[in-house]
Amino acid sequence: MTGTTRSRLAPDERRSQLLDLGVRLLATRSLSELSIDLLAEEAGISRGLLYHYFGNKHAFHEAVVRRAADDLIAQTAPPPGGDPRARLLASVTAYVDYVVANYEGYVSLIKGAAGGNETLRQIYEEARSALSDRIFTEDAQGELIADTPRNRLVVRGWSAMTEELVVTWGADQRTGHTEVSRDELLAIIGGSLPALVGE
Amino acid sequence: MTGTTRSRLAPDERRSQLLDLGVRLLATRSLSELSIDLLAEEAGISRGLLYHYFGNKHAFHEAVVRRAADDLIAQTAPPPGGDPRARLLASVTAYVDYVVANYEGYVSLIKGAAGGNETLRQIYEEARSALSDRIFTEDAQGELIADTPRNRLVVRGWSAMTEELVVTWGADQRTGHTEVSRDELLAIIGGSLPALVGE
């Protein structure tokens, strides 16, 4: 039955399904640990078929990271309406949960992007810009933060701070050394942007 | 006369002088552009003598980056007494000026440290820890910021934000696209730590 189901999927759907599996595998692995062999084994299909879908290891990694970035952007979308601060906190909460759930892959993306891999850097910057731009487009009336050059710079700094806080907190949590609760972390991140803008 | 003066310097002094020159050269160059050949040319001495002092290119880079990190820590020391906020602002101002004056080298250190060069990562982390720890040791009474696990995490995030703000602002300034003044930048950075702690 499984084989029959598989064969009925259109190539795009099949590729998409494989990318989802790649993203799940990346959650608990660095990019260098994510191979086409591993994906083939987990998907129960041949390496040859995977090369047919992804071409080579570089293209495979790029496709998985793009899918992961799209997932991050989708999962951190704020709820459609309500109080601006509550919407920001909802988005921040989703971001923290995403990073914690996909820790290995996320940290390896940051390292790859910072270390000179041009493709990873580009995907990383695009995702970061999308998240930053959303702060302003989701708040078009400027209830929480007005769209000014100063505040664009502030949001960029706040994004870097948020990433550092979550990655550090996540590392501490994984080794059992966290003395800061998840709620405290969320309060620091969610409360800091209005504080930074309000100065 | 120059030759005579040189020959009278003890080897440690001579090495130190060469490191200062290396740091000055690194200010406007990335690490990959800083070679022993270049240092030899600028110092007017032989490559052989430089290899005598530094061993190899890797050791040379490590020594220059350590010296640069020491310079950064020394130059950003706050004034010995006075209002905690004014002392923080003085330290932040020195940091901004240091990064702007040593832009190429500083950015290449960040990239090298993030990208998997273990020696650079270690020097970078040590310098960052020294700067973060100083926030607490210089404020032992906790006038500005109490020494708690939460605030240790906050200072780590604030450091990442500060670096991102200065590097972004510096890049914009170099291309003539800065719409945020140096005073505004300093106010954002200097004012944000008390705001983050005060929540």
Side-chain angles (χ1 to χ4, degrees):
Chain A
M1 275 304 288
T2 314
T4 314
T5 310
R6 267 182 197 153
S7 66
R8 282 185 190 152
L9 286 173
D12 277 3
E13 289 175 282
R14 186 64 183 138
R15 190 172 187 274
S16 180
Q17 209 179 52
L18 289 166
L19 283 177
D20 284 341
L21 178 57
V23 171
R24 284 203 299 280
L25 294 173
L26 184 62
T28 54
R29 285 169 187 83
S30 70
L31 265 176
S32 60
E33 292 165 338
L34 179 65
S35 65
I36 283 191
D37 279 350
L38 177 69
L39 185 71
E41 191 185 316
E42 294 286 332
I45 60 177
S46 72
R47 294 175 66 225
L49 189 55
L50 284 181
Y51 279 110
H52 166 73
Y53 282 116
F54 298 112
N56 55 49
K57 184 179 173 177
H58 181 76
F60 167 57
H61 276 179
E62 180 176 340
V64 171
V65 171
R66 280 198 190 280
R67 168 62 61 105
D70 289 346
D71 286 353
L72 170 63
I73 292 167
Q75 288 179 31
T76 55
D83 171 61
R85 283 190 186 229
R87 298 178 74 219
L88 176 66
L89 186 61
S91 186
V92 161
T93 303
Y95 174 77
V96 170
D97 291 344
Y98 181 92
V99 175
V100 169
N102 297 277
Y103 197 80
E104 291 296 338
Y106 192 81
V107 169
S108 87
L109 170 60
I110 296 174
K111 280 189 187 162
N117 181 314
E118 188 49 34
T119 304
L120 294 185
R121 195 198 61 73
Q122 201 180 325
I123 299 172
Y124 176 82
E125 285 292 334
E126 282 170 12
R128 209 181 222 198
S129 293
L131 296 177
S132 296
D133 289 349
R134 190 162 64 191
I135 301 270
F136 296 100
T137 52
E138 287 286 339
D139 181 31
Q141 308 305 314
E143 289 178 78
L144 195 66
I145 179 167
D147 193 352
T148 65
R150 178 199 182 276
N151 286 347
R152 287 270 168 180
L153 183 65
V154 163
V155 165
R156 202 175 158 105
W158 176 79
S159 299
M161 177 173 71
T162 298
E163 184 178 278
E164 178 73 23
L165 288 170
V166 178
V167 168
T168 301
W169 184 83
D172 288 348
Q173 200 199 36
R174 290 156 71 84
T175 55
H177 291 122
T178 318
E179 296 181 84
V180 176
S181 73
R182 180 170 168 279
D183 282 350
E184 279 181 291
L185 177 71
L186 292 173
I188 292 169
I189 300 171
S192 56
L193 187 58
L196 288 166
V197 171
E199 272 149 35
Chain B
M1 275 304 289
T2 313
T4 314
T5 310
R6 268 180 195 152
S7 66
R8 281 184 190 151
L9 285 172
D12 276 3
E13 288 175 281
R14 186 67 182 134
R15 190 172 187 274
S16 180
Q17 210 180 49
L18 289 167
L19 284 176
D20 284 340
L21 177 58
V23 171
R24 283 203 300 280
L25 294 173
L26 185 61
T28 53
R29 283 168 187 84
S30 71
L31 265 176
S32 60
E33 291 165 337
L34 179 66
S35 65
I36 284 193
D37 279 349
L38 177 69
L39 185 70
E41 191 184 317
E42 294 286 332
I45 60 177
S46 72
R47 293 175 66 225
L49 188 56
L50 284 181
Y51 279 110
H52 166 73
Y53 281 116
F54 298 111
N56 55 48
K57 185 181 170 174
H58 181 75
F60 167 57
H61 276 179
E62 181 176 339
V64 171
V65 171
R66 281 200 190 279
R67 168 62 62 105
D70 289 346
D71 286 353
L72 170 63
I73 292 167
Q75 288 179 32
T76 55
D83 172 63
R85 283 189 186 230
R87 297 178 76 217
L88 176 67
L89 187 59
S91 186
V92 161
T93 303
Y95 173 75
V96 170
D97 291 344
Y98 181 91
V99 175
V100 169
N102 297 276
Y103 196 81
E104 291 295 337
Y106 192 81
V107 169
S108 87
L109 170 61
I110 297 173
K111 281 188 186 164
N117 180 314
E118 189 49 36
T119 304
L120 293 186
R121 196 198 59 75
Q122 202 180 325
I123 300 172
Y124 176 82
E125 285 292 335
E126 282 170 13
R128 209 182 222 198
S129 293
L131 296 177
S132 296
D133 289 349
R134 190 162 65 190
I135 300 270
F136 295 100
T137 52
E138 288 285 338
D139 181 31
Q141 308 304 315
E143 288 178 78
L144 195 66
I145 179 166
D147 193 353
T148 65
R150 177 199 183 276
N151 286 348
R152 287 268 169 182
L153 183 66
V154 163
V155 165
R156 203 177 157 103
W158 176 79
S159 299
M161 177 173 71
T162 298
E163 184 177 279
E164 178 74 22
L165 287 171
V166 178
V167 168
T168 302
W169 185 83
D172 288 348
Q173 200 198 34
R174 290 156 71 85
T175 53
H177 290 121
T178 320
E179 295 182 83
V180 176
S181 73
R182 179 170 168 279
D183 282 350
E184 279 181 292
L185 177 72
L186 292 172
I188 293 168
I189 301 172
S192 56
L193 187 58
L196 288 167
V197 172
E199 272 148 35

